[in-house]
Amino acid sequence: MHVLLVEDDDRLAAALTAALDRLGHQVVRAGRADDALRLKDGADFVLLDLGLPDMDGLEALRRLRRASAVPVIVVTARSAERDVVRSLRGGADDYLVKPFRTAELVARMEAVVRRGTRPLTAAGPVVAVGGVTIDLATRQLEVDGRPVALTRREFDVLALLAREPGVVRSREEILDAVWGDLLLSASRSLDVHIAGIRSKTGRPELVETLRGTGYRLGTGGCT
């Protein structure tokens, strides 16, 4: 892959570049957010630090997501839950805290690529639940006739539940189907995306949590 490494630490950038080169990837390094946004179109994958000298990495992520769907893993020293949540909601595919092992980073990159090749939403029916309309074929969502935009991953989670309304999906099943990575079972990724669905739709009951079991689409008024 052509990997865009957005990192202002020269030593870390050199180490990551060498490791990825050995695996056959072609790495282009950007030390500033404005350079990264200029180089984004040539990238198959982006590794994004949040502590950049010219712009906060979260703002760079938002700008990148407005223009590109390229896979992104945030690699940063920031470990606060707030930063993790904001990054995932902002469109990051994964989040890795420094210091980390290169093997783990590569495994996470491979998992993100695998997720992108999974046909998560084949053509299917329109599911209506309490004023919420989910079109599985067009990936459109409406609440009381008003279009609501979800991130790609949020819609993938909702679509999985909507295919069989009322059927309980375990946490592990959702992570495997949507993320392709059971190692995320202890992370907050799924919680963040479900919270995003509830918040954006204004329907906290749309995704029901069954403690110790999993999640299901609320069935009230389902057609």
Side-chain angles (χ1 to χ4, degrees):
M1 293 186 294
H2 289 83
V3 179
L4 176 58
L5 173 61
V6 190
E7 172 61 64
D8 67 335
D9 184 312
D10 293 337
R11 186 187 304 182
L12 178 58
L16 281 177
T17 297
L20 293 172
D21 280 345
R22 286 195 296 270
L23 294 172
H25 301 297
Q26 298 180 27
V27 181
V28 173
R29 186 252 181 128
R32 296 169 55 88
D34 55 1
D35 292 332
L37 293 171
R38 178 174 52 83
L39 294 168
K40 67 183 183 307
D41 292 337
D44 300 315
F45 209 106
V46 175
L47 302 176
L48 176 66
D49 185 21
L50 295 184
L52 301 173
D54 60 329
M55 183 189 305
D56 185 80
L58 289 169
E59 176 60 25
L61 175 61
R62 285 190 287 269
R63 295 189 185 187
L64 176 64
R65 272 292 166 256
R66 287 198 290 266
S68 174
V70 64
V72 177
I73 294 181
V74 169
V75 286
T76 180
R78 298 185 194 174
S79 59
E81 181 181 30
R82 179 170 179 262
D83 290 313
V84 177
V85 170
R86 291 176 68 191
S87 295
L88 294 173
R89 285 182 174 169
D93 293 280
D94 205 345
Y95 193 102
L96 191 58
V97 177
K98 301 174 184 177
F100 53 82
R101 296 180 182 274
T102 303
E104 180 182 1
L105 172 63
V106 171
R108 287 177 180 269
M109 291 173 66
E110 292 171 349
V112 168
V113 172
R114 286 197 304 272
R115 297 169 208 160
T117 64
R118 295 186 174 208
L120 291 170
T121 316
V126 174
V127 178
V129 183
V132 178
T133 303
I134 308 162
D135 191 322
L136 298 178
T138 65
R139 296 177 64 88
Q140 300 296 311
L141 174 68
E142 293 185 354
V143 177
D144 295 333
R146 173 180 55 87
V148 173
L150 299 181
T151 67
R152 174 173 59 89
R153 189 70 32 78
E154 286 169 347
F155 192 90
D156 288 341
V157 171
L158 184 59
L160 179 65
L161 300 177
R163 288 194 197 99
E164 296 183 80
V167 173
V168 178
R169 303 285 187 180
S170 70
R171 186 181 187 86
E172 290 75 18
E173 183 180 0
I174 297 171
L175 288 166
D176 183 48
V178 178
W179 273 262
D181 189 354
L182 291 176
L183 296 178
L184 288 171
S185 60
S187 80
R188 290 290 313 281
S189 295
L190 179 56
D191 304 311
V192 168
H193 286 78
I194 287 177
I197 294 168
R198 289 167 171 163
S199 174
K200 291 176 182 178
T201 60
R203 297 288 198 277
E205 73 282 359
L206 181 62
V207 177
E208 296 181 355
T209 301
L210 287 82
R211 294 192 179 280
T213 305
Y215 303 89
R216 68 183 176 193
L217 192 73
T219 57
C222 181
T223 60

